[in-house]
């Protein structure tokens, strides 16, 4: 299959090249030139997540140098449980995407991308440098996925003081081929620095730069697999489509669900749950698309004022009316996030991370409007990652999953850096 930039659909390149580039040279995002079409019966009943991914992604890898290695890539990267568990009341489910090594859904995409890039980058060439701006969880997932991978290195930029202490610890706990920079600014500053570096020809000639942000195809494609896996298992056991409510920031996770639905998987409605950053809810309720600076909220991994995957949504829906009519999109304020977390155990028998709490609240509103269909809340992180928010609200400590505990036991270190490009550029030149 070929891939083109959202800004020039006529010029196609192969998957390997698109994976290595990250962002298209014209500043657009890579999108597939065609989409395959599946039926639920194309997947075996006993398929694991890795096997579903393999079947689903095979057409995207067709004719590419990596196609012969797709099985191995899926087995290596997607060996993470993604259970669909029941919540109260009936017809309510939770797709648990927090069982990976850094306890957030980004492990799926980051590990898949790392497995691809390691196979693509020849060991005898200068190292490939992955630049990643993170509002919290991406950086840790990417650092974990690339840690000690030969001939690959990662530079993580995160907004100092705007991630939880445990997130900060995770971001700095790797060392070796991972450089962690804490930026005196917000997430948009981090993204701008990364973009400026990509646009700097001198840096490009010194370092082979690549990205691992949620714009990367290597993250987007594998994320489709858990939606496929969950919707097919729902289809088999209960018949009918599964609707999803998805905590949304840069639209990477939600876009994977939308793509999976377009490929014929039994997915019904998709609701986007944002925090107080309401650029998407405003757009879907009829305003012009108006990117802004991001607001700091309790669901910090979704503190996004300019969702980077929006261009892909526009590509999928060239008709603006169809796009605006195609989704529920609602914002959830911090006060509601707190309320959902505080009542989670009594109402649902669960603890939620602040991001997942946004989705829970949006589903509560959907239920209040009389919708009794099957909905799955997508749980994007483990509550133990955000203990400073969650523990005071639930009134007790949250048990830390073993993989996360292992990371928190390591020493951690991040270099401070300003939000201007020049010092960042100098730091990269010294790599
Ligand atoms: C990154 C992240 C999100 C937002 O995902 P997008 O793909 O940016 O929309 C939601 N929840 C958690 C826990 C995250 O880490």
């Amino acid at each position: 299959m070929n891939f083109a930039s959202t800004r020039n659909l006529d010029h196609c390149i192969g998957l390997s090249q698109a994976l290595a580039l990250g962002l298209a040279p014209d500043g657009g995002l890579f999108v597939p030139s065609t989409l395959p079409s599946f039926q639920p019966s194309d997947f075996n009943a006993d398929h694991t997540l890795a096997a579903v991914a393999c079947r689903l992604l095979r057409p995207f890898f067709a004719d590419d140098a990596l196609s012969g290695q797709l099985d191995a890539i899926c087995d290596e990267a997607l060996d993470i449980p993604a259970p669909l568990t029941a919540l109260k009341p009936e017809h309510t489910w939770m797709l648990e995407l927090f069982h990976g090594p850094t306890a957030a859904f980004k492990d799926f995409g980051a590990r898949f991308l790392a497995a691809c890039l390691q196979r693509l980058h020849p060991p005898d060439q200068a190292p490939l440098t992955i630049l990643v701006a993170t509002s919290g969880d991406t950086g840790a997932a990417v650092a974990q996925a690339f840690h000690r991978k030969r001939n690959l290195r990662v530079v993580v930029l995160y907004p100092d003081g705007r991630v939880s202490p445990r997130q900060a610890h995770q971001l700095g706990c790797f060392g070796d081929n991972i450089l962690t920079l804490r930026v005196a600014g917000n997430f948009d500053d981090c993204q701008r620095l990364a973009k400026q570096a990509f646009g700097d020809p001198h840096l490009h000639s010194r370092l082979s730069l690549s990205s691992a942000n949620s714009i990367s195809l290597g993250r987007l494609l594998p994320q489709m697999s858990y939606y496929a896996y969950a919707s097919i298992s729902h289809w088999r056991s209960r018949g009918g489509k599964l609707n999803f409510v998805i905590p949304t920031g840069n639209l990477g996770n939600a876009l994977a669900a939308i793509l999976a639905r377009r490929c014929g998987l039994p997915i019904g409605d998709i609701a986007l749950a944002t925090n107080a950053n309401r650029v998407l809810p405003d757009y879907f309720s009829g305003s012009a698309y108006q990117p802004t600076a991001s607001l700091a909220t309790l669901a910090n991994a979704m503190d996004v004022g300019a969702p980077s995957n929006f261009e892909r949504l526009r590509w999928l829906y060239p008709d603006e009316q169809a796009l605006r009519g195609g989704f529920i999109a609602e914002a959830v304020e911090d006060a509601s996030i707190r309320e959902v977390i505080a009542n989670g155990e009594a109402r649902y028998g669960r603890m939620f991370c602040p991001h997942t709490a946004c989705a829970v609240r949006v589903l509560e509103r959907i239920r209040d409007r009389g919708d009794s269909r099957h909905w799955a809340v997508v749980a994007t992180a483990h509550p133990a990652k955000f203990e400073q928010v969650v523990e005071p609200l639930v009134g007790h400590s949250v048990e830390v999953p073993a993989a996360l505990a292992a990371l928190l036991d390591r020493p951690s270190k991040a270099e401070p850096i300003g939000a201007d490009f020049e010092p960042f550029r100098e730091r990269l030149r010294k790599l």
Side-chain angles (χ1 to χ4, degrees):
M1 186 181 292
N2 283 323
F3 295 81
S5 160
T6 43
R7 299 191 189 170
N8 179 3
L9 294 172
D10 298 330
H11 178 69
C12 285
I13 62 172
L15 176 66
S16 289
Q17 214 189 337
L19 288 175
L21 284 169
L23 193 68
D26 62 9
L29 310 185
F30 286 116
V31 290
S33 54
T34 54
L35 286 175
S37 181
F38 291 98
Q39 316 243 330
S41 56
D42 291 333
F43 299 86
N44 293 337
D46 59 351
H47 264 167
T48 59
L49 176 69
V52 166
C54 215
R55 179 76 188 84
L56 178 70
L57 299 181
R58 201 175 296 145
F60 295 93
F61 277 67
D63 307 324
D64 191 78
L66 281 178
S67 66
Q69 304 191 61
L70 178 61
D71 289 30
I73 292 169
C74 291
D75 287 345
E76 171 186 323
L78 302 177
D79 182 21
I80 303 175
L84 185 66
T85 57
L87 284 191
K88 292 186 281 184
E90 59 168 7
H91 297 178
T92 305
W93 307 91
M94 184 153 97
L95 177 57
E96 299 180 7
L97 300 182
F98 50 70
H99 297 287
T102 72
F105 84 90
K106 294 192 173 81
D107 286 324
F108 294 90
R111 290 167 61 82
F112 190 91
L113 177 66
C116 290
L117 290 183
Q118 180 160 55
R119 286 166 173 82
L120 283 176
H121 193 65
D124 54 341
Q125 273 187 17
L128 188 67
T129 304
I130 313 291
L131 262 188
V132 52
T134 181
S135 58
D137 287 338
T138 302
V142 170
Q144 195 282 335
F146 285 82
H147 186 215
R148 296 194 178 139
K149 287 239 187 287
R150 266 185 49 207
N151 221 16
L152 301 174
R153 66 185 164 203
V154 174
V155 178
V156 178
L157 296 152
Y158 78 87
D160 201 2
R162 293 203 181 205
V163 304
S164 81
R166 275 189 190 158
Q167 279 181 319
H169 191 101
Q170 275 186 297
L171 289 167
C173 78
F174 294 97
D176 304 317
N177 61 333
I178 314 291
L179 170 66
T180 307
L181 301 174
R182 51 185 171 93
V183 176
N186 61 20
F187 172 62
D188 294 331
D189 292 317
C190 297
Q191 256 187 335
R192 175 181 44 80
L193 287 175
K195 271 197 185 142
Q196 278 178 287
F198 284 115
D200 184 309
H202 298 288
L203 280 181
H204 250 308
S205 61
R206 290 177 71 104
L207 306 160
S208 335
L209 288 182
S210 188
S211 100
N213 285 106
S214 64
I215 53 166
S216 172
L217 269 182
R219 287 182 48 190
L220 184 62
L221 295 176
Q223 286 171 186
M224 293 165 64
S225 58
Y226 43 75
Y227 292 107
Y229 183 68
S231 63
I232 291 164
S233 76
H234 177 80
W235 176 274
R236 283 228 156 76
S237 46
R238 285 167 290 271
K241 293 179 177 176
L242 186 57
N243 307 293
F244 288 96
V245 47
I246 306 175
T248 298
N250 270 314
L251 268 169
N253 198 8
L255 204 92
I258 298 166
L259 276 176
R261 181 169 71 178
R262 214 28 108 77
C263 292
L265 288 146
I267 295 170
D269 284 343
I270 293 172
L272 312 175
T274 71
N275 57 25
N277 289 279
R278 28 181 330 125
V279 51
L280 292 170
D282 286 348
Y283 173 78
F284 283 99
S285 63
S287 307
Y289 179 65
Q290 194 61 262
T292 56
S294 63
L295 292 174
T297 75
L298 293 175
N300 63 26
M302 311 187 330
D303 289 349
V304 176
S308 54
N309 277 292
F310 191 72
E311 256 182 75
R312 284 199 173 109
L313 205 54
R314 282 214 156 126
W315 156 76
L316 264 178
Y317 290 84
D319 180 283
E320 180 138 29
Q321 279 325 102
L323 172 54
R324 286 188 201 256
F327 298 93
I328 298 167
E330 295 188 17
V332 177
E333 301 287 326
D334 277 356
S336 298
I337 293 176
R338 285 202 184 86
E339 203 269 335
V340 168
I341 295 172
N343 294 300
E345 289 177 293
R347 259 183 225 156
Y348 302 98
R350 294 296 179 99
M351 281 183 280
F352 302 113
C353 89
H355 312 80
T356 308
C358 293
V360 171
R361 173 45 52 93
V362 170
L363 181 56
E364 288 172 353
R365 295 182 194 151
I366 292 172
R367 293 280 188 232
D368 284 346
R369 298 195 288 260
D371 188 327
S372 59
R373 294 176 301 161
H374 285 276
W375 280 90
V377 165
V378 177
T380 49
H382 193 285
K385 248 187 135 162
F386 301 91
E387 86 287 3
Q388 284 210 321
V389 176
V390 176
E391 289 182 351
L393 291 168
V394 297
H396 58 82
S397 63
V398 183
E399 198 183 331
V400 179
L404 184 55
L407 293 183
L408 296 175
D409 271 349
R410 303 166 60 100
S412 177
K413 175 168 152 284
E415 289 180 22
I417 198 159
D420 296 330
F421 184 54
E422 211 34 54
F424 175 54
R425 186 164 178 266
E426 277 314 301
R427 184 65 188 87
L428 290 182
R429 287 167 63 95
K430 279 194 278 170
L431 276 180

Short mmCIF file of all heavy atoms in Angstrom, two decimals, residues 3-6 13-31 113 117 120 128-131 146 195 198 204 208-220 308-309 312:
data_model
loop_
_atom_site.label_atom_id
_atom_site.label_comp_id
_atom_site.label_asym_id
_atom_site.label_seq_id
_atom_site.Cartn_x
_atom_site.Cartn_y
_atom_site.Cartn_z
N PHE A 3 1.27 5.58 0.69
CA PHE A 3 0.84 6.60 1.64
C PHE A 3 1.15 7.98 1.07
O PHE A 3 2.17 8.18 0.40
CB PHE A 3 1.56 6.39 2.98
CG PHE A 3 1.16 5.10 3.64
CD1 PHE A 3 1.75 3.90 3.24
CD2 PHE A 3 0.16 5.06 4.58
CE1 PHE A 3 1.36 2.69 3.80
CE2 PHE A 3 -0.25 3.86 5.14
CZ PHE A 3 0.35 2.67 4.76
N ALA A 4 0.24 8.92 1.32
CA ALA A 4 0.42 10.28 0.80
C ALA A 4 0.24 11.27 1.95
O ALA A 4 -0.27 10.93 3.01
CB ALA A 4 -0.61 10.56 -0.30
N SER A 5 0.68 12.51 1.70
CA SER A 5 0.50 13.56 2.70
C SER A 5 -0.92 14.11 2.60
O SER A 5 -1.47 14.23 1.50
CB SER A 5 1.51 14.67 2.45
OG SER A 5 1.08 15.86 3.08
N THR A 6 -1.50 14.48 3.75
CA THR A 6 -2.83 15.12 3.72
C THR A 6 -2.81 16.39 2.87
O THR A 6 -3.84 16.86 2.44
CB THR A 6 -3.28 15.50 5.15
OG1 THR A 6 -2.17 16.07 5.84
CG2 THR A 6 -3.80 14.31 5.92
N ILE A 13 4.29 7.57 -1.27
CA ILE A 13 5.52 6.86 -0.93
C ILE A 13 5.14 5.56 -0.21
O ILE A 13 3.99 5.35 0.15
CB ILE A 13 6.46 7.70 -0.04
CG1 ILE A 13 5.79 8.05 1.29
CG2 ILE A 13 6.90 8.98 -0.76
CD1 ILE A 13 6.74 8.69 2.28
N GLY A 14 6.15 4.71 0.01
CA GLY A 14 5.89 3.42 0.66
C GLY A 14 5.80 3.57 2.17
O GLY A 14 6.17 4.60 2.74
N LEU A 15 5.32 2.50 2.82
CA LEU A 15 5.12 2.54 4.26
C LEU A 15 6.43 2.78 5.02
O LEU A 15 6.49 3.62 5.93
CB LEU A 15 4.49 1.23 4.74
CG LEU A 15 4.32 1.12 6.25
CD1 LEU A 15 3.31 2.14 6.77
CD2 LEU A 15 3.90 -0.29 6.66
N SER A 16 7.49 2.04 4.65
CA SER A 16 8.75 2.17 5.38
C SER A 16 9.24 3.61 5.38
O SER A 16 9.68 4.14 6.40
CB SER A 16 9.84 1.30 4.76
OG SER A 16 9.56 -0.05 5.00
N GLN A 17 9.14 4.24 4.21
CA GLN A 17 9.59 5.61 4.10
C GLN A 17 8.72 6.54 4.96
O GLN A 17 9.24 7.42 5.65
CB GLN A 17 9.53 6.04 2.64
CG GLN A 17 10.64 6.99 2.26
CD GLN A 17 10.41 7.56 0.86
OE1 GLN A 17 9.71 6.95 0.04
NE2 GLN A 17 11.00 8.71 0.60
N ALA A 18 7.44 6.31 4.92
CA ALA A 18 6.52 7.15 5.72
C ALA A 18 6.79 6.95 7.22
O ALA A 18 6.76 7.92 7.99
CB ALA A 18 5.07 6.81 5.38
N LEU A 19 7.09 5.71 7.61
CA LEU A 19 7.39 5.46 9.03
C LEU A 19 8.66 6.17 9.45
O LEU A 19 8.74 6.77 10.51
CB LEU A 19 7.57 3.95 9.27
CG LEU A 19 6.31 3.09 9.23
CD1 LEU A 19 6.67 1.61 9.35
CD2 LEU A 19 5.35 3.48 10.35
N ALA A 20 9.67 6.13 8.57
CA ALA A 20 10.95 6.74 8.92
C ALA A 20 10.83 8.26 8.96
O ALA A 20 11.46 8.92 9.78
CB ALA A 20 12.02 6.30 7.92
N LEU A 21 10.01 8.83 8.08
CA LEU A 21 9.89 10.29 8.04
C LEU A 21 9.05 10.83 9.19
O LEU A 21 9.29 11.94 9.67
CB LEU A 21 9.27 10.74 6.72
CG LEU A 21 10.20 10.71 5.51
CD1 LEU A 21 9.40 10.91 4.22
CD2 LEU A 21 11.29 11.76 5.62
N GLY A 22 8.05 10.11 9.62
CA GLY A 22 7.16 10.62 10.67
C GLY A 22 6.18 11.62 10.09
O GLY A 22 5.06 11.28 9.72
N LEU A 23 6.63 12.87 9.98
CA LEU A 23 5.81 13.92 9.38
C LEU A 23 6.17 14.02 7.90
O LEU A 23 7.32 13.88 7.53
CB LEU A 23 6.16 15.24 10.08
CG LEU A 23 5.26 16.45 9.87
CD1 LEU A 23 3.90 16.22 10.51
CD2 LEU A 23 5.92 17.70 10.46
N ALA A 24 5.17 14.29 7.04
CA ALA A 24 5.47 14.46 5.62
C ALA A 24 6.30 15.74 5.42
O ALA A 24 6.14 16.70 6.16
CB ALA A 24 4.17 14.53 4.82
N PRO A 25 7.19 15.75 4.42
CA PRO A 25 8.07 16.92 4.22
C PRO A 25 7.29 18.22 3.99
O PRO A 25 7.79 19.30 4.32
CB PRO A 25 8.89 16.54 2.98
CG PRO A 25 8.80 15.06 2.89
CD PRO A 25 7.48 14.66 3.49
N ASP A 26 6.08 18.15 3.48
CA ASP A 26 5.31 19.38 3.27
C ASP A 26 4.54 19.80 4.52
O ASP A 26 3.72 20.73 4.48
CB ASP A 26 4.34 19.20 2.09
CG ASP A 26 3.31 18.09 2.33
OD1 ASP A 26 3.24 17.57 3.47
OD2 ASP A 26 2.59 17.74 1.39
N GLY A 27 4.79 19.14 5.65
CA GLY A 27 4.14 19.51 6.90
C GLY A 27 2.82 18.78 7.12
O GLY A 27 2.22 18.92 8.19
N GLY A 28 2.37 18.01 6.14
CA GLY A 28 1.11 17.26 6.30
C GLY A 28 1.34 15.96 7.05
O GLY A 28 2.44 15.65 7.48
N LEU A 29 0.27 15.21 7.19
CA LEU A 29 0.33 13.92 7.88
C LEU A 29 0.14 12.81 6.86
O LEU A 29 -0.67 12.94 5.94
CB LEU A 29 -0.78 13.83 8.93
CG LEU A 29 -0.93 15.00 9.89
CD1 LEU A 29 -1.99 14.69 10.94
CD2 LEU A 29 0.39 15.32 10.56
N PHE A 30 0.86 11.71 7.05
CA PHE A 30 0.71 10.60 6.10
C PHE A 30 -0.61 9.88 6.30
O PHE A 30 -1.02 9.62 7.44
CB PHE A 30 1.86 9.61 6.26
CG PHE A 30 3.15 10.12 5.70
CD1 PHE A 30 4.24 10.35 6.53
CD2 PHE A 30 3.27 10.40 4.34
CE1 PHE A 30 5.44 10.82 6.02
CE2 PHE A 30 4.46 10.88 3.82
CZ PHE A 30 5.55 11.09 4.67
N VAL A 31 -1.25 9.56 5.19
CA VAL A 31 -2.50 8.80 5.21
C VAL A 31 -2.42 7.71 4.14
O VAL A 31 -1.74 7.89 3.12
CB VAL A 31 -3.72 9.71 4.94
CG1 VAL A 31 -3.98 10.65 6.11
CG2 VAL A 31 -3.56 10.51 3.65
N LEU A 113 5.90 1.13 16.88
CA LEU A 113 6.77 2.02 16.11
C LEU A 113 8.24 1.66 16.33
O LEU A 113 9.03 1.58 15.38
CB LEU A 113 6.52 3.48 16.51
CG LEU A 113 7.42 4.51 15.84
CD1 LEU A 113 7.13 4.58 14.34
CD2 LEU A 113 7.23 5.89 16.48
N LEU A 117 10.89 0.70 13.46
CA LEU A 117 12.07 1.51 13.16
C LEU A 117 13.36 0.74 13.39
O LEU A 117 14.33 0.89 12.66
CB LEU A 117 12.07 2.80 14.00
CG LEU A 117 10.99 3.83 13.62
CD1 LEU A 117 11.13 5.09 14.46
CD2 LEU A 117 11.03 4.17 12.13
N LEU A 120 13.97 -1.10 10.38
CA LEU A 120 14.20 -0.28 9.18
C LEU A 120 15.56 0.39 9.18
O LEU A 120 16.09 0.71 8.12
CB LEU A 120 13.14 0.83 9.10
CG LEU A 120 11.77 0.41 8.62
CD1 LEU A 120 10.81 1.59 8.68
CD2 LEU A 120 11.85 -0.14 7.20
N LEU A 128 19.57 7.03 14.45
CA LEU A 128 18.35 7.78 14.17
C LEU A 128 17.93 8.44 15.49
O LEU A 128 17.94 7.81 16.53
CB LEU A 128 17.29 6.78 13.73
CG LEU A 128 15.97 7.27 13.19
CD1 LEU A 128 16.18 7.98 11.86
CD2 LEU A 128 15.04 6.06 12.97
N THR A 129 17.59 9.74 15.43
CA THR A 129 17.18 10.45 16.64
C THR A 129 15.69 10.72 16.60
O THR A 129 15.19 11.38 15.69
CB THR A 129 17.93 11.79 16.76
OG1 THR A 129 19.34 11.52 16.73
CG2 THR A 129 17.58 12.50 18.06
N ILE A 130 14.98 10.18 17.56
CA ILE A 130 13.53 10.37 17.65
C ILE A 130 13.28 11.55 18.57
O ILE A 130 13.70 11.55 19.72
CB ILE A 130 12.85 9.14 18.28
CG1 ILE A 130 13.34 7.83 17.66
CG2 ILE A 130 11.34 9.27 18.23
CD1 ILE A 130 12.92 7.61 16.27
N LEU A 131 12.60 12.58 18.04
CA LEU A 131 12.27 13.75 18.86
C LEU A 131 10.82 13.62 19.28
O LEU A 131 9.94 13.45 18.44
CB LEU A 131 12.34 14.99 17.98
CG LEU A 131 13.58 15.84 18.01
CD1 LEU A 131 13.33 17.11 17.22
CD2 LEU A 131 13.98 16.15 19.43
N PHE A 146 11.84 2.49 23.18
CA PHE A 146 13.12 2.63 22.46
C PHE A 146 14.34 2.41 23.35
O PHE A 146 15.47 2.39 22.85
CB PHE A 146 13.23 4.01 21.81
CG PHE A 146 12.38 4.18 20.59
CD1 PHE A 146 11.03 4.48 20.71
CD2 PHE A 146 12.92 4.04 19.31
CE1 PHE A 146 10.23 4.65 19.58
CE2 PHE A 146 12.14 4.19 18.18
CZ PHE A 146 10.78 4.50 18.31
N LYS A 195 8.92 20.88 16.22
CA LYS A 195 8.62 21.25 14.83
C LYS A 195 9.73 22.10 14.24
O LYS A 195 10.13 21.92 13.09
CB LYS A 195 7.31 22.03 14.76
CG LYS A 195 6.11 21.13 14.59
CD LYS A 195 4.88 21.89 14.11
CE LYS A 195 3.69 20.93 14.08
NZ LYS A 195 2.44 21.53 14.51
N PHE A 198 12.63 19.97 13.29
CA PHE A 198 12.40 19.25 12.03
C PHE A 198 12.57 20.17 10.84
O PHE A 198 13.01 19.75 9.77
CB PHE A 198 10.99 18.63 12.00
CG PHE A 198 10.88 17.40 12.85
CD1 PHE A 198 10.06 17.37 13.96
CD2 PHE A 198 11.62 16.27 12.54
CE1 PHE A 198 9.96 16.25 14.75
CE2 PHE A 198 11.54 15.14 13.32
CZ PHE A 198 10.71 15.13 14.44
N HIS A 204 19.04 18.78 10.44
CA HIS A 204 18.73 17.59 9.66
C HIS A 204 19.98 16.97 9.05
O HIS A 204 20.08 15.75 8.93
CB HIS A 204 17.72 17.92 8.57
CG HIS A 204 16.39 17.30 8.84
ND1 HIS A 204 16.25 15.97 9.11
CD2 HIS A 204 15.15 17.83 8.92
CE1 HIS A 204 14.98 15.71 9.34
NE2 HIS A 204 14.29 16.83 9.25
N SER A 208 19.84 12.33 11.98
CA SER A 208 18.66 11.90 11.22
C SER A 208 17.49 11.97 12.19
O SER A 208 17.36 11.14 13.07
CB SER A 208 18.70 10.47 10.73
OG SER A 208 19.90 9.98 10.57
N LEU A 209 16.66 12.98 11.98
CA LEU A 209 15.56 13.20 12.92
C LEU A 209 14.31 12.44 12.48
O LEU A 209 14.00 12.37 11.30
CB LEU A 209 15.21 14.69 12.98
CG LEU A 209 16.19 15.60 13.70
CD1 LEU A 209 15.66 17.02 13.69
CD2 LEU A 209 16.45 15.13 15.11
N SER A 210 13.61 11.89 13.45
CA SER A 210 12.32 11.30 13.16
C SER A 210 11.40 11.57 14.35
O SER A 210 11.88 11.93 15.42
CB SER A 210 12.46 9.80 12.91
OG SER A 210 11.23 9.29 12.46
N SER A 211 10.11 11.42 14.13
CA SER A 211 9.20 11.74 15.22
C SER A 211 8.52 10.49 15.73
O SER A 211 8.51 9.46 15.07
CB SER A 211 8.16 12.76 14.76
OG SER A 211 6.96 12.11 14.46
N ALA A 212 7.97 10.58 16.92
CA ALA A 212 7.20 9.46 17.46
C ALA A 212 5.92 9.99 18.08
O ALA A 212 5.32 9.33 18.90
CB ALA A 212 8.03 8.71 18.49
N ASN A 213 5.54 11.20 17.70
CA ASN A 213 4.30 11.76 18.26
C ASN A 213 3.10 11.05 17.66
O ASN A 213 3.24 10.21 16.78
CB ASN A 213 4.24 13.25 17.99
CG ASN A 213 5.19 13.99 18.92
OD1 ASN A 213 6.23 14.44 18.51
ND2 ASN A 213 4.85 14.04 20.17
N SER A 214 1.93 11.44 18.12
CA SER A 214 0.76 10.66 17.71
C SER A 214 0.44 10.88 16.24
O SER A 214 -0.45 10.24 15.70
CB SER A 214 -0.45 10.98 18.59
OG SER A 214 -0.83 12.32 18.41
N ILE A 215 1.16 11.75 15.56
CA ILE A 215 1.01 11.87 14.12
C ILE A 215 1.67 10.70 13.39
O ILE A 215 1.40 10.48 12.22
CB ILE A 215 1.64 13.18 13.60
CG1 ILE A 215 3.08 13.28 14.08
CG2 ILE A 215 0.82 14.37 14.02
CD1 ILE A 215 3.89 14.32 13.38
N SER A 216 2.54 9.97 14.07
CA SER A 216 3.28 8.91 13.38
C SER A 216 2.36 7.75 12.99
O SER A 216 1.63 7.22 13.81
CB SER A 216 4.41 8.40 14.27
OG SER A 216 4.99 7.28 13.66
N LEU A 217 2.44 7.36 11.73
CA LEU A 217 1.67 6.21 11.26
C LEU A 217 1.98 4.95 12.05
O LEU A 217 1.12 4.11 12.25
CB LEU A 217 2.06 5.90 9.81
CG LEU A 217 1.31 6.54 8.68
CD1 LEU A 217 1.89 6.02 7.38
CD2 LEU A 217 -0.19 6.23 8.76
N GLY A 218 3.22 4.85 12.50
CA GLY A 218 3.65 3.67 13.24
C GLY A 218 2.96 3.54 14.58
O GLY A 218 2.97 2.49 15.20
N ARG A 219 2.34 4.62 15.05
CA ARG A 219 1.52 4.55 16.26
C ARG A 219 0.05 4.43 15.92
O ARG A 219 -0.69 3.70 16.56
CB ARG A 219 1.76 5.79 17.13
CG ARG A 219 3.11 5.74 17.81
CD ARG A 219 3.34 6.93 18.70
NE ARG A 219 2.22 7.20 19.58
CZ ARG A 219 2.10 8.29 20.32
NH1 ARG A 219 3.04 9.22 20.26
NH2 ARG A 219 1.07 8.47 21.10
N LEU A 220 -0.35 5.18 14.92
CA LEU A 220 -1.76 5.18 14.55
C LEU A 220 -2.26 3.80 14.12
O LEU A 220 -3.31 3.32 14.58
CB LEU A 220 -1.95 6.20 13.42
CG LEU A 220 -3.37 6.43 12.95
CD1 LEU A 220 -4.21 6.99 14.08
CD2 LEU A 220 -3.37 7.39 11.77
N SER A 308 -3.28 17.59 16.88
CA SER A 308 -2.39 17.44 15.73
C SER A 308 -2.96 16.52 14.65
O SER A 308 -2.55 16.61 13.50
CB SER A 308 -1.02 16.95 16.18
OG SER A 308 -1.15 15.79 16.93
N ASN A 309 -3.90 15.65 15.01
CA ASN A 309 -4.44 14.74 13.98
C ASN A 309 -5.69 15.28 13.28
O ASN A 309 -6.31 14.56 12.50
CB ASN A 309 -4.77 13.38 14.61
CG ASN A 309 -3.54 12.50 14.70
OD1 ASN A 309 -3.02 12.06 13.68
ND2 ASN A 309 -3.06 12.29 15.91
N ARG A 312 -6.06 14.75 9.62
CA ARG A 312 -6.45 13.42 9.15
C ARG A 312 -7.96 13.25 9.19
O ARG A 312 -8.54 12.58 8.34
CB ARG A 312 -5.79 12.33 10.00
CG ARG A 312 -4.33 12.12 9.69
CD ARG A 312 -3.86 10.77 10.21
NE ARG A 312 -2.51 10.45 9.80
CZ ARG A 312 -1.46 10.44 10.63
NH1 ARG A 312 -1.61 10.73 11.90
NH2 ARG A 312 -0.26 10.13 10.17
#
